[in-house]
Amino acid sequence: MNTASKTRWAPTEGGSRRARLAGVAAVAAAGIFALAGCAPSSSGDAEASGGELTFSNWQFLEDGKGPIIWDAVKDYDGPDGDTSLTKIEIPFANYADKLSTELGAGGGPDVMVLQDSQFVTLAEAGLLEPLDDIADELGDSLNETNTSGYFLDAQYGFNWERPTYSMVYNKDIFTELGLEVPETYAEFTSAAETITSALGISGFAGRHQTAEIDGWTLEMANWLYGFGGELSDGDELTIASDENVEAVEAFLETFGSGVAPIGDDASTFRAKFGQGQVGIMFENSGVATTLTSNPENLINGSNLGSAPLPFENPGANSQLVLAVNANGDNVEGAKDFVRWVLGEEGQTAIRAGLGASAMATDIQPDPAFLEANPWAPQFLEAAKTSRSTLVEGFETESKVVWREFLTAVEGLRTNGGDVKPALEKVQSMLESELG
């Protein structure tokens, strides 16, 4: 891996915002450890390995995809053949909170998959094991996606999966109605309206409620980025920018037009899409893999269509980071597992379950997979330009920023009102709170 690329995560000099964030994180970490009634313990016996190794990943519970991933890793037995791997299954909706509580109390799994927003918080709190030695060992075999695991001048994790977003659509529906694949926002809304009026089903579906705030953050980022917006310029918040206002207005227009089901959570509208009851979604490569892997779905590799998001600018990615619990029972065993995952054997094994997502190395999907799933290359292409949802310069505060932003959007969706003043209020409040 080219270490020069790590500089975007490295701390800067003097009284910079990055330095201030480190102080904020130290205070946050102290609070976490106070909950546990003790300071974080050391990693324990650095020579210990083998034995039981616990691995936490919400993906184990995903239909179709989950069993494939577990089958890929379940027989891992360590470098000396004396390790047994145990999976920890936690639903996505509870995953972040449960892990934060467990790790803050000095417990939790040995190795885990994390969303990048949780990853940076846990890393700054001192709860993740530094993995610089693994980065040095593997060197150029790792690609640039692994900068996502480099934070505050240390490697605390590696890319497990980078699902990127594209527009997915039901090709059978498009063929039936003679629709062209939308390339612009106007063409997208027209197609969604045609599907709804002609077939009486949802032309489009997506997250729109703070009850699913983590997933909605990922989806809403596509709208902001797509319209040229962002929540900061790297130094200051830009929540009320003209581009963000335009993006929110378009989002509200779409969900207020009747083409999208209001109240459906992601599991519900994705299931409907799989059964041909939704025409279009903005989804990530992981979901596309799950949908086409489920034999009960009407959607399969041949009739799932994919195309760039119908916006002028590229969208977001859902960065998943593989990390090690600094206070786990088997730190060295966990590091051995990470080495295996990042090696050729591990990358080949898990590639089957991760479909068209970008991985830690440049290993490509199996040719047979690409032939059976012609939608996949679009996601691999999108990975080249997609962006993280971390708020630049406010990485450890990203969840706070997104929460306030999306709470305002939800309020506008349910109660109406002018977008610009609502976003200005959020910006003013966050500037006062965050300094």
Side-chain angles (χ1 to χ4, degrees), residues 49-56 70 73 76-79 82-88 109-112 324-325 328-338 340-341:
S49 186
E52 182 183 15
L53 186 65
T54 53
F55 178 28
S56 179
W70 177 241
V73 302
Y76 171 79
D77 59 2
D82 58 353
T83 300
S84 63
L85 193 65
T86 299
K87 64 177 174 179
I88 305 297
D110 296 305
V111 63
M112 68 209 86
V324 171
N325 182 356
D329 294 331
N330 194 352
V331 172
E332 291 306 308
K335 292 176 70 173
D336 284 337
F337 178 69
V338 170
W340 177 81
V341 167

PDB file of all heavy atoms in Angstrom, residues 49-56 70 73 76-79 82-88 109-112 324-325 328-338 340-341:
ATOM      1  N   SER A  49      -1.951 -17.073  20.997  1.00  0.00           N
ATOM      2  CA  SER A  49      -2.704 -17.215  19.755  1.00  0.00           C
ATOM      3  C   SER A  49      -3.445 -18.535  19.853  1.00  0.00           C
ATOM      4  O   SER A  49      -3.395 -19.228  20.870  1.00  0.00           O
ATOM      5  CB  SER A  49      -1.763 -17.189  18.547  1.00  0.00           C
ATOM      6  OG  SER A  49      -2.502 -17.183  17.342  1.00  0.00           O
ATOM      7  N   GLY A  50      -4.164 -18.912  18.805  1.00  0.00           N
ATOM      8  CA  GLY A  50      -4.922 -20.144  18.863  1.00  0.00           C
ATOM      9  C   GLY A  50      -6.133 -19.983  19.760  1.00  0.00           C
ATOM     10  O   GLY A  50      -6.497 -18.892  20.191  1.00  0.00           O
ATOM     11  N   GLY A  51      -6.802 -21.098  20.072  1.00  0.00           N
ATOM     12  CA  GLY A  51      -7.971 -21.060  20.933  1.00  0.00           C
ATOM     13  C   GLY A  51      -9.195 -20.523  20.214  1.00  0.00           C
ATOM     14  O   GLY A  51      -9.263 -20.466  18.985  1.00  0.00           O
ATOM     15  N   GLU A  52     -10.186 -20.077  20.986  1.00  0.00           N
ATOM     16  CA  GLU A  52     -11.428 -19.564  20.403  1.00  0.00           C
ATOM     17  C   GLU A  52     -11.253 -18.123  19.957  1.00  0.00           C
ATOM     18  O   GLU A  52     -10.629 -17.309  20.648  1.00  0.00           O
ATOM     19  CB  GLU A  52     -12.573 -19.650  21.405  1.00  0.00           C
ATOM     20  CG  GLU A  52     -13.903 -19.166  20.824  1.00  0.00           C
ATOM     21  CD  GLU A  52     -15.038 -19.173  21.836  1.00  0.00           C
ATOM     22  OE1 GLU A  52     -14.755 -19.276  23.044  1.00  0.00           O
ATOM     23  OE2 GLU A  52     -16.196 -19.058  21.409  1.00  0.00           O
ATOM     24  N   LEU A  53     -11.806 -17.805  18.817  1.00  0.00           N
ATOM     25  CA  LEU A  53     -11.752 -16.460  18.262  1.00  0.00           C
ATOM     26  C   LEU A  53     -13.174 -16.056  17.898  1.00  0.00           C
ATOM     27  O   LEU A  53     -13.860 -16.763  17.147  1.00  0.00           O
ATOM     28  CB  LEU A  53     -10.862 -16.443  17.022  1.00  0.00           C
ATOM     29  CG  LEU A  53     -10.576 -15.093  16.380  1.00  0.00           C
ATOM     30  CD1 LEU A  53      -9.763 -14.211  17.310  1.00  0.00           C
ATOM     31  CD2 LEU A  53      -9.837 -15.294  15.051  1.00  0.00           C
ATOM     32  N   THR A  54     -13.645 -14.936  18.432  1.00  0.00           N
ATOM     33  CA  THR A  54     -15.006 -14.478  18.158  1.00  0.00           C
ATOM     34  C   THR A  54     -14.987 -13.381  17.101  1.00  0.00           C
ATOM     35  O   THR A  54     -14.187 -12.454  17.171  1.00  0.00           O
ATOM     36  CB  THR A  54     -15.682 -13.963  19.435  1.00  0.00           C
ATOM     37  OG1 THR A  54     -14.857 -12.969  20.063  1.00  0.00           O
ATOM     38  CG2 THR A  54     -15.908 -15.106  20.411  1.00  0.00           C
ATOM     39  N   PHE A  55     -15.886 -13.486  16.132  1.00  0.00           N
ATOM     40  CA  PHE A  55     -15.929 -12.583  14.986  1.00  0.00           C
ATOM     41  C   PHE A  55     -17.349 -12.047  14.851  1.00  0.00           C
ATOM     42  O   PHE A  55     -18.293 -12.806  14.655  1.00  0.00           O
ATOM     43  CB  PHE A  55     -15.501 -13.331  13.727  1.00  0.00           C
ATOM     44  CG  PHE A  55     -15.544 -12.518  12.455  1.00  0.00           C
ATOM     45  CD1 PHE A  55     -15.371 -11.149  12.454  1.00  0.00           C
ATOM     46  CD2 PHE A  55     -15.751 -13.150  11.232  1.00  0.00           C
ATOM     47  CE1 PHE A  55     -15.403 -10.408  11.283  1.00  0.00           C
ATOM     48  CE2 PHE A  55     -15.784 -12.426  10.049  1.00  0.00           C
ATOM     49  CZ  PHE A  55     -15.615 -11.051  10.074  1.00  0.00           C
ATOM     50  N   SER A  56     -17.488 -10.725  14.949  1.00  0.00           N
ATOM     51  CA  SER A  56     -18.800 -10.076  14.901  1.00  0.00           C
ATOM     52  C   SER A  56     -19.021  -9.372  13.568  1.00  0.00           C
ATOM     53  O   SER A  56     -18.168  -8.609  13.110  1.00  0.00           O
ATOM     54  CB  SER A  56     -18.905  -9.053  16.043  1.00  0.00           C
ATOM     55  OG  SER A  56     -20.145  -8.397  16.015  1.00  0.00           O
ATOM     56  N   TRP A  70     -20.269 -16.592   5.959  1.00  0.00           N
ATOM     57  CA  TRP A  70     -19.871 -17.468   7.059  1.00  0.00           C
ATOM     58  C   TRP A  70     -19.204 -18.742   6.535  1.00  0.00           C
ATOM     59  O   TRP A  70     -18.197 -19.192   7.073  1.00  0.00           O
ATOM     60  CB  TRP A  70     -21.063 -17.804   7.942  1.00  0.00           C
ATOM     61  CG  TRP A  70     -20.712 -18.765   9.039  1.00  0.00           C
ATOM     62  CD1 TRP A  70     -21.230 -20.002   9.256  1.00  0.00           C
ATOM     63  CD2 TRP A  70     -19.733 -18.569  10.068  1.00  0.00           C
ATOM     64  NE1 TRP A  70     -20.643 -20.594  10.346  1.00  0.00           N
ATOM     65  CE2 TRP A  70     -19.711 -19.734  10.867  1.00  0.00           C
ATOM     66  CE3 TRP A  70     -18.863 -17.518  10.388  1.00  0.00           C
ATOM     67  CZ2 TRP A  70     -18.866 -19.881  11.955  1.00  0.00           C
ATOM     68  CZ3 TRP A  70     -18.012 -17.665  11.477  1.00  0.00           C
ATOM     69  CH2 TRP A  70     -18.012 -18.826  12.249  1.00  0.00           C
ATOM     70  N   VAL A  73     -15.506 -18.300   5.858  1.00  0.00           N
ATOM     71  CA  VAL A  73     -14.529 -18.111   6.935  1.00  0.00           C
ATOM     72  C   VAL A  73     -14.621 -19.150   8.044  1.00  0.00           C
ATOM     73  O   VAL A  73     -13.712 -19.259   8.869  1.00  0.00           O
ATOM     74  CB  VAL A  73     -14.678 -16.696   7.561  1.00  0.00           C
ATOM     75  CG1 VAL A  73     -14.490 -15.617   6.505  1.00  0.00           C
ATOM     76  CG2 VAL A  73     -16.028 -16.523   8.264  1.00  0.00           C
ATOM     77  N   TYR A  76     -11.705 -21.439   9.125  1.00  0.00           N
ATOM     78  CA  TYR A  76     -10.405 -20.868   9.478  1.00  0.00           C
ATOM     79  C   TYR A  76      -9.928 -21.474  10.796  1.00  0.00           C
ATOM     80  O   TYR A  76     -10.665 -21.479  11.803  1.00  0.00           O
ATOM     81  CB  TYR A  76     -10.524 -19.345   9.605  1.00  0.00           C
ATOM     82  CG  TYR A  76      -9.282 -18.703  10.167  1.00  0.00           C
ATOM     83  CD1 TYR A  76      -8.176 -18.481   9.364  1.00  0.00           C
ATOM     84  CD2 TYR A  76      -9.203 -18.354  11.520  1.00  0.00           C
ATOM     85  CE1 TYR A  76      -7.015 -17.908   9.887  1.00  0.00           C
ATOM     86  CE2 TYR A  76      -8.058 -17.782  12.042  1.00  0.00           C
ATOM     87  CZ  TYR A  76      -6.968 -17.564  11.225  1.00  0.00           C
ATOM     88  OH  TYR A  76      -5.825 -17.004  11.735  1.00  0.00           O
ATOM     89  N   ASP A  77      -8.707 -21.978  10.808  1.00  0.00           N
ATOM     90  CA  ASP A  77      -8.181 -22.610  12.025  1.00  0.00           C
ATOM     91  C   ASP A  77      -6.828 -22.054  12.452  1.00  0.00           C
ATOM     92  O   ASP A  77      -6.132 -22.655  13.282  1.00  0.00           O
ATOM     93  CB  ASP A  77      -8.106 -24.129  11.864  1.00  0.00           C
ATOM     94  CG  ASP A  77      -7.211 -24.561  10.704  1.00  0.00           C
ATOM     95  OD1 ASP A  77      -6.613 -23.673  10.043  1.00  0.00           O
ATOM     96  OD2 ASP A  77      -7.109 -25.777  10.456  1.00  0.00           O
ATOM     97  N   GLY A  78      -6.444 -20.900  11.917  1.00  0.00           N
ATOM     98  CA  GLY A  78      -5.245 -20.229  12.360  1.00  0.00           C
ATOM     99  C   GLY A  78      -3.980 -20.789  11.741  1.00  0.00           C
ATOM    100  O   GLY A  78      -3.995 -21.850  11.105  1.00  0.00           O
ATOM    101  N   PRO A  79      -2.862 -20.108  11.924  1.00  0.00           N
ATOM    102  CA  PRO A  79      -1.595 -20.536  11.308  1.00  0.00           C
ATOM    103  C   PRO A  79      -1.083 -21.869  11.833  1.00  0.00           C
ATOM    104  O   PRO A  79      -0.317 -22.554  11.155  1.00  0.00           O
ATOM    105  CB  PRO A  79      -0.641 -19.391  11.649  1.00  0.00           C
ATOM    106  CG  PRO A  79      -1.247 -18.703  12.811  1.00  0.00           C
ATOM    107  CD  PRO A  79      -2.722 -18.834  12.647  1.00  0.00           C
ATOM    108  N   ASP A  82      -4.931 -24.526  15.359  1.00  0.00           N
ATOM    109  CA  ASP A  82      -5.489 -24.703  16.695  1.00  0.00           C
ATOM    110  C   ASP A  82      -6.459 -23.582  17.082  1.00  0.00           C
ATOM    111  O   ASP A  82      -6.667 -23.302  18.262  1.00  0.00           O
ATOM    112  CB  ASP A  82      -4.370 -24.795  17.737  1.00  0.00           C
ATOM    113  CG  ASP A  82      -3.469 -23.549  17.740  1.00  0.00           C
ATOM    114  OD1 ASP A  82      -3.626 -22.686  16.852  1.00  0.00           O
ATOM    115  OD2 ASP A  82      -2.598 -23.456  18.630  1.00  0.00           O
ATOM    116  N   THR A  83      -7.052 -22.939  16.070  1.00  0.00           N
ATOM    117  CA  THR A  83      -8.003 -21.849  16.304  1.00  0.00           C
ATOM    118  C   THR A  83      -9.391 -22.269  15.850  1.00  0.00           C
ATOM    119  O   THR A  83      -9.551 -22.889  14.792  1.00  0.00           O
ATOM    120  CB  THR A  83      -7.583 -20.580  15.537  1.00  0.00           C
ATOM    121  OG1 THR A  83      -6.293 -20.163  15.975  1.00  0.00           O
ATOM    122  CG2 THR A  83      -8.581 -19.448  15.754  1.00  0.00           C
ATOM    123  N   SER A  84     -10.387 -21.933  16.634  1.00  0.00           N
ATOM    124  CA  SER A  84     -11.782 -22.154  16.235  1.00  0.00           C
ATOM    125  C   SER A  84     -12.492 -20.806  16.173  1.00  0.00           C
ATOM    126  O   SER A  84     -12.359 -19.982  17.088  1.00  0.00           O
ATOM    127  CB  SER A  84     -12.490 -23.081  17.225  1.00  0.00           C
ATOM    128  OG  SER A  84     -12.545 -22.498  18.517  1.00  0.00           O
ATOM    129  N   LEU A  85     -13.218 -20.580  15.097  1.00  0.00           N
ATOM    130  CA  LEU A  85     -13.880 -19.296  14.868  1.00  0.00           C
ATOM    131  C   LEU A  85     -15.352 -19.399  15.242  1.00  0.00           C
ATOM    132  O   LEU A  85     -16.047 -20.315  14.811  1.00  0.00           O
ATOM    133  CB  LEU A  85     -13.732 -18.902  13.399  1.00  0.00           C
ATOM    134  CG  LEU A  85     -14.092 -17.466  13.014  1.00  0.00           C
ATOM    135  CD1 LEU A  85     -13.138 -16.483  13.673  1.00  0.00           C
ATOM    136  CD2 LEU A  85     -14.061 -17.299  11.496  1.00  0.00           C
ATOM    137  N   THR A  86     -15.810 -18.461  16.065  1.00  0.00           N
ATOM    138  CA  THR A  86     -17.207 -18.397  16.485  1.00  0.00           C
ATOM    139  C   THR A  86     -17.815 -17.105  15.982  1.00  0.00           C
ATOM    140  O   THR A  86     -17.241 -16.025  16.179  1.00  0.00           O
ATOM    141  CB  THR A  86     -17.323 -18.449  18.019  1.00  0.00           C
ATOM    142  OG1 THR A  86     -16.770 -19.684  18.491  1.00  0.00           O
ATOM    143  CG2 THR A  86     -18.778 -18.353  18.452  1.00  0.00           C
ATOM    144  N   LYS A  87     -18.963 -17.187  15.327  1.00  0.00           N
ATOM    145  CA  LYS A  87     -19.594 -15.971  14.809  1.00  0.00           C
ATOM    146  C   LYS A  87     -20.487 -15.339  15.875  1.00  0.00           C
ATOM    147  O   LYS A  87     -21.139 -16.030  16.667  1.00  0.00           O
ATOM    148  CB  LYS A  87     -20.401 -16.264  13.548  1.00  0.00           C
ATOM    149  CG  LYS A  87     -21.595 -17.189  13.723  1.00  0.00           C
ATOM    150  CD  LYS A  87     -22.335 -17.329  12.392  1.00  0.00           C
ATOM    151  CE  LYS A  87     -23.447 -18.360  12.495  1.00  0.00           C
ATOM    152  NZ  LYS A  87     -24.202 -18.490  11.214  1.00  0.00           N
ATOM    153  N   ILE A  88     -20.485 -14.015  15.895  1.00  0.00           N
ATOM    154  CA  ILE A  88     -21.350 -13.231  16.770  1.00  0.00           C
ATOM    155  C   ILE A  88     -22.356 -12.514  15.883  1.00  0.00           C
ATOM    156  O   ILE A  88     -21.976 -11.675  15.061  1.00  0.00           O
ATOM    157  CB  ILE A  88     -20.542 -12.206  17.594  1.00  0.00           C
ATOM    158  CG1 ILE A  88     -19.431 -12.902  18.389  1.00  0.00           C
ATOM    159  CG2 ILE A  88     -21.465 -11.428  18.518  1.00  0.00           C
ATOM    160  CD1 ILE A  88     -19.922 -13.884  19.419  1.00  0.00           C
ATOM    161  N   PRO A 109     -16.341  -8.709  21.019  1.00  0.00           N
ATOM    162  CA  PRO A 109     -15.703  -9.738  20.201  1.00  0.00           C
ATOM    163  C   PRO A 109     -14.223  -9.450  19.983  1.00  0.00           C
ATOM    164  O   PRO A 109     -13.760  -8.324  20.165  1.00  0.00           O
ATOM    165  CB  PRO A 109     -16.484  -9.672  18.884  1.00  0.00           C
ATOM    166  CG  PRO A 109     -16.959  -8.253  18.807  1.00  0.00           C
ATOM    167  CD  PRO A 109     -17.276  -7.874  20.224  1.00  0.00           C
ATOM    168  N   ASP A 110     -13.497 -10.458  19.551  1.00  0.00           N
ATOM    169  CA  ASP A 110     -12.063 -10.293  19.282  1.00  0.00           C
ATOM    170  C   ASP A 110     -11.811  -9.495  18.014  1.00  0.00           C
ATOM    171  O   ASP A 110     -10.913  -8.650  17.955  1.00  0.00           O
ATOM    172  CB  ASP A 110     -11.390 -11.665  19.156  1.00  0.00           C
ATOM    173  CG  ASP A 110     -11.450 -12.452  20.447  1.00  0.00           C
ATOM    174  OD1 ASP A 110     -11.005 -11.934  21.472  1.00  0.00           O
ATOM    175  OD2 ASP A 110     -11.969 -13.583  20.415  1.00  0.00           O
ATOM    176  N   VAL A 111     -12.578  -9.776  16.988  1.00  0.00           N
ATOM    177  CA  VAL A 111     -12.422  -9.102  15.704  1.00  0.00           C
ATOM    178  C   VAL A 111     -13.802  -8.760  15.191  1.00  0.00           C
ATOM    179  O   VAL A 111     -14.781  -9.475  15.473  1.00  0.00           O
ATOM    180  CB  VAL A 111     -11.634  -9.991  14.712  1.00  0.00           C
ATOM    181  CG1 VAL A 111     -12.390 -11.274  14.399  1.00  0.00           C
ATOM    182  CG2 VAL A 111     -11.305  -9.243  13.428  1.00  0.00           C
ATOM    183  N   MET A 112     -13.926  -7.655  14.486  1.00  0.00           N
ATOM    184  CA  MET A 112     -15.263  -7.168  14.134  1.00  0.00           C
ATOM    185  C   MET A 112     -15.232  -6.362  12.846  1.00  0.00           C
ATOM    186  O   MET A 112     -14.210  -5.815  12.451  1.00  0.00           O
ATOM    187  CB  MET A 112     -15.817  -6.308  15.268  1.00  0.00           C
ATOM    188  CG  MET A 112     -15.085  -4.988  15.452  1.00  0.00           C
ATOM    189  SD  MET A 112     -15.101  -4.341  17.140  1.00  0.00           S
ATOM    190  CE  MET A 112     -13.681  -5.215  17.800  1.00  0.00           C
ATOM    191  N   VAL A 324      -9.695  -4.938  15.157  1.00  0.00           N
ATOM    192  CA  VAL A 324      -9.405  -5.853  16.267  1.00  0.00           C
ATOM    193  C   VAL A 324      -9.648  -5.141  17.588  1.00  0.00           C
ATOM    194  O   VAL A 324      -9.211  -3.998  17.792  1.00  0.00           O
ATOM    195  CB  VAL A 324      -7.950  -6.357  16.189  1.00  0.00           C
ATOM    196  CG1 VAL A 324      -7.565  -7.137  17.451  1.00  0.00           C
ATOM    197  CG2 VAL A 324      -7.757  -7.224  14.955  1.00  0.00           C
ATOM    198  N   ASN A 325     -10.324  -5.807  18.499  1.00  0.00           N
ATOM    199  CA  ASN A 325     -10.596  -5.306  19.844  1.00  0.00           C
ATOM    200  C   ASN A 325      -9.301  -5.272  20.655  1.00  0.00           C
ATOM    201  O   ASN A 325      -8.690  -6.308  20.910  1.00  0.00           O
ATOM    202  CB  ASN A 325     -11.629  -6.218  20.512  1.00  0.00           C
ATOM    203  CG  ASN A 325     -12.026  -5.767  21.909  1.00  0.00           C
ATOM    204  OD1 ASN A 325     -11.500  -4.804  22.448  1.00  0.00           O
ATOM    205  ND2 ASN A 325     -12.977  -6.486  22.493  1.00  0.00           N
ATOM    206  N   GLY A 328      -9.589  -7.469  23.671  1.00  0.00           N
ATOM    207  CA  GLY A 328     -10.176  -8.778  23.446  1.00  0.00           C
ATOM    208  C   GLY A 328      -9.413  -9.891  24.143  1.00  0.00           C
ATOM    209  O   GLY A 328      -8.262  -9.723  24.570  1.00  0.00           O
ATOM    210  N   ASP A 329     -10.034 -11.039  24.227  1.00  0.00           N
ATOM    211  CA  ASP A 329      -9.409 -12.189  24.884  1.00  0.00           C
ATOM    212  C   ASP A 329      -8.317 -12.821  24.029  1.00  0.00           C
ATOM    213  O   ASP A 329      -7.497 -13.574  24.539  1.00  0.00           O
ATOM    214  CB  ASP A 329     -10.465 -13.253  25.208  1.00  0.00           C
ATOM    215  CG  ASP A 329     -11.461 -12.773  26.254  1.00  0.00           C
ATOM    216  OD1 ASP A 329     -11.071 -11.941  27.095  1.00  0.00           O
ATOM    217  OD2 ASP A 329     -12.623 -13.222  26.223  1.00  0.00           O
ATOM    218  N   ASN A 330      -8.315 -12.521  22.730  1.00  0.00           N
ATOM    219  CA  ASN A 330      -7.374 -13.193  21.831  1.00  0.00           C
ATOM    220  C   ASN A 330      -6.890 -12.217  20.762  1.00  0.00           C
ATOM    221  O   ASN A 330      -7.194 -12.373  19.575  1.00  0.00           O
ATOM    222  CB  ASN A 330      -8.047 -14.411  21.197  1.00  0.00           C
ATOM    223  CG  ASN A 330      -7.066 -15.355  20.519  1.00  0.00           C
ATOM    224  OD1 ASN A 330      -5.885 -15.050  20.378  1.00  0.00           O
ATOM    225  ND2 ASN A 330      -7.557 -16.498  20.087  1.00  0.00           N
ATOM    226  N   VAL A 331      -6.147 -11.209  21.193  1.00  0.00           N
ATOM    227  CA  VAL A 331      -5.690 -10.164  20.277  1.00  0.00           C
ATOM    228  C   VAL A 331      -4.787 -10.736  19.195  1.00  0.00           C
ATOM    229  O   VAL A 331      -4.957 -10.429  18.000  1.00  0.00           O
ATOM    230  CB  VAL A 331      -4.961  -9.043  21.049  1.00  0.00           C
ATOM    231  CG1 VAL A 331      -4.303  -8.058  20.078  1.00  0.00           C
ATOM    232  CG2 VAL A 331      -5.930  -8.304  21.954  1.00  0.00           C
ATOM    233  N   GLU A 332      -3.828 -11.567  19.565  1.00  0.00           N
ATOM    234  CA  GLU A 332      -2.911 -12.097  18.565  1.00  0.00           C
ATOM    235  C   GLU A 332      -3.616 -13.039  17.596  1.00  0.00           C
ATOM    236  O   GLU A 332      -3.319 -13.055  16.405  1.00  0.00           O
ATOM    237  CB  GLU A 332      -1.732 -12.799  19.246  1.00  0.00           C
ATOM    238  CG  GLU A 332      -0.798 -11.859  19.984  1.00  0.00           C
ATOM    239  CD  GLU A 332      -0.299 -10.731  19.093  1.00  0.00           C
ATOM    240  OE1 GLU A 332       0.211 -11.012  17.990  1.00  0.00           O
ATOM    241  OE2 GLU A 332      -0.420  -9.567  19.496  1.00  0.00           O
ATOM    242  N   GLY A 333      -4.559 -13.818  18.111  1.00  0.00           N
ATOM    243  CA  GLY A 333      -5.344 -14.670  17.224  1.00  0.00           C
ATOM    244  C   GLY A 333      -6.172 -13.848  16.263  1.00  0.00           C
ATOM    245  O   GLY A 333      -6.334 -14.210  15.090  1.00  0.00           O
ATOM    246  N   ALA A 334      -6.712 -12.728  16.742  1.00  0.00           N
ATOM    247  CA  ALA A 334      -7.493 -11.834  15.890  1.00  0.00           C
ATOM    248  C   ALA A 334      -6.616 -11.239  14.792  1.00  0.00           C
ATOM    249  O   ALA A 334      -7.034 -11.119  13.642  1.00  0.00           O
ATOM    250  CB  ALA A 334      -8.121 -10.728  16.733  1.00  0.00           C
ATOM    251  N   LYS A 335      -5.397 -10.872  15.136  1.00  0.00           N
ATOM    252  CA  LYS A 335      -4.481 -10.308  14.139  1.00  0.00           C
ATOM    253  C   LYS A 335      -4.103 -11.366  13.091  1.00  0.00           C
ATOM    254  O   LYS A 335      -3.975 -11.055  11.907  1.00  0.00           O
ATOM    255  CB  LYS A 335      -3.248  -9.739  14.822  1.00  0.00           C
ATOM    256  CG  LYS A 335      -3.551  -8.492  15.673  1.00  0.00           C
ATOM    257  CD  LYS A 335      -2.337  -7.989  16.427  1.00  0.00           C
ATOM    258  CE  LYS A 335      -1.307  -7.390  15.503  1.00  0.00           C
ATOM    259  NZ  LYS A 335      -0.202  -6.743  16.247  1.00  0.00           N
ATOM    260  N   ASP A 336      -3.935 -12.608  13.535  1.00  0.00           N
ATOM    261  CA  ASP A 336      -3.674 -13.686  12.572  1.00  0.00           C
ATOM    262  C   ASP A 336      -4.832 -13.828  11.598  1.00  0.00           C
ATOM    263  O   ASP A 336      -4.635 -14.041  10.392  1.00  0.00           O
ATOM    264  CB  ASP A 336      -3.454 -15.015  13.302  1.00  0.00           C
ATOM    265  CG  ASP A 336      -2.085 -15.111  13.961  1.00  0.00           C
ATOM    266  OD1 ASP A 336      -1.165 -14.398  13.521  1.00  0.00           O
ATOM    267  OD2 ASP A 336      -1.943 -15.896  14.918  1.00  0.00           O
ATOM    268  N   PHE A 337      -6.052 -13.703  12.116  1.00  0.00           N
ATOM    269  CA  PHE A 337      -7.239 -13.805  11.258  1.00  0.00           C
ATOM    270  C   PHE A 337      -7.265 -12.661  10.252  1.00  0.00           C
ATOM    271  O   PHE A 337      -7.580 -12.859   9.070  1.00  0.00           O
ATOM    272  CB  PHE A 337      -8.506 -13.801  12.114  1.00  0.00           C
ATOM    273  CG  PHE A 337      -9.780 -13.857  11.323  1.00  0.00           C
ATOM    274  CD1 PHE A 337     -10.150 -14.997  10.631  1.00  0.00           C
ATOM    275  CD2 PHE A 337     -10.621 -12.746  11.253  1.00  0.00           C
ATOM    276  CE1 PHE A 337     -11.326 -15.043   9.901  1.00  0.00           C
ATOM    277  CE2 PHE A 337     -11.797 -12.782  10.533  1.00  0.00           C
ATOM    278  CZ  PHE A 337     -12.151 -13.936   9.847  1.00  0.00           C
ATOM    279  N   VAL A 338      -6.940 -11.451  10.701  1.00  0.00           N
ATOM    280  CA  VAL A 338      -6.905 -10.303   9.792  1.00  0.00           C
ATOM    281  C   VAL A 338      -5.879 -10.540   8.683  1.00  0.00           C
ATOM    282  O   VAL A 338      -6.139 -10.260   7.510  1.00  0.00           O
ATOM    283  CB  VAL A 338      -6.592  -9.005  10.570  1.00  0.00           C
ATOM    284  CG1 VAL A 338      -6.318  -7.858   9.604  1.00  0.00           C
ATOM    285  CG2 VAL A 338      -7.749  -8.645  11.503  1.00  0.00           C
ATOM    286  N   TRP A 340      -4.965 -13.358   7.479  1.00  0.00           N
ATOM    287  CA  TRP A 340      -5.537 -14.362   6.572  1.00  0.00           C
ATOM    288  C   TRP A 340      -6.591 -13.738   5.656  1.00  0.00           C
ATOM    289  O   TRP A 340      -6.589 -13.983   4.447  1.00  0.00           O
ATOM    290  CB  TRP A 340      -6.158 -15.500   7.381  1.00  0.00           C
ATOM    291  CG  TRP A 340      -6.826 -16.535   6.515  1.00  0.00           C
ATOM    292  CD1 TRP A 340      -6.228 -17.558   5.842  1.00  0.00           C
ATOM    293  CD2 TRP A 340      -8.224 -16.626   6.221  1.00  0.00           C
ATOM    294  NE1 TRP A 340      -7.168 -18.284   5.131  1.00  0.00           N
ATOM    295  CE2 TRP A 340      -8.406 -17.730   5.358  1.00  0.00           C
ATOM    296  CE3 TRP A 340      -9.342 -15.883   6.606  1.00  0.00           C
ATOM    297  CZ2 TRP A 340      -9.648 -18.117   4.870  1.00  0.00           C
ATOM    298  CZ3 TRP A 340     -10.588 -16.259   6.126  1.00  0.00           C
ATOM    299  CH2 TRP A 340     -10.734 -17.355   5.269  1.00  0.00           C
ATOM    300  N   VAL A 341      -7.461 -12.906   6.223  1.00  0.00           N
ATOM    301  CA  VAL A 341      -8.500 -12.255   5.416  1.00  0.00           C
ATOM    302  C   VAL A 341      -7.877 -11.418   4.303  1.00  0.00           C
ATOM    303  O   VAL A 341      -8.364 -11.400   3.169  1.00  0.00           O
ATOM    304  CB  VAL A 341      -9.408 -11.373   6.298  1.00  0.00           C
ATOM    305  CG1 VAL A 341     -10.274 -10.447   5.437  1.00  0.00           C
ATOM    306  CG2 VAL A 341     -10.299 -12.234   7.183  1.00  0.00           C
TER     307      VAL A 341
END
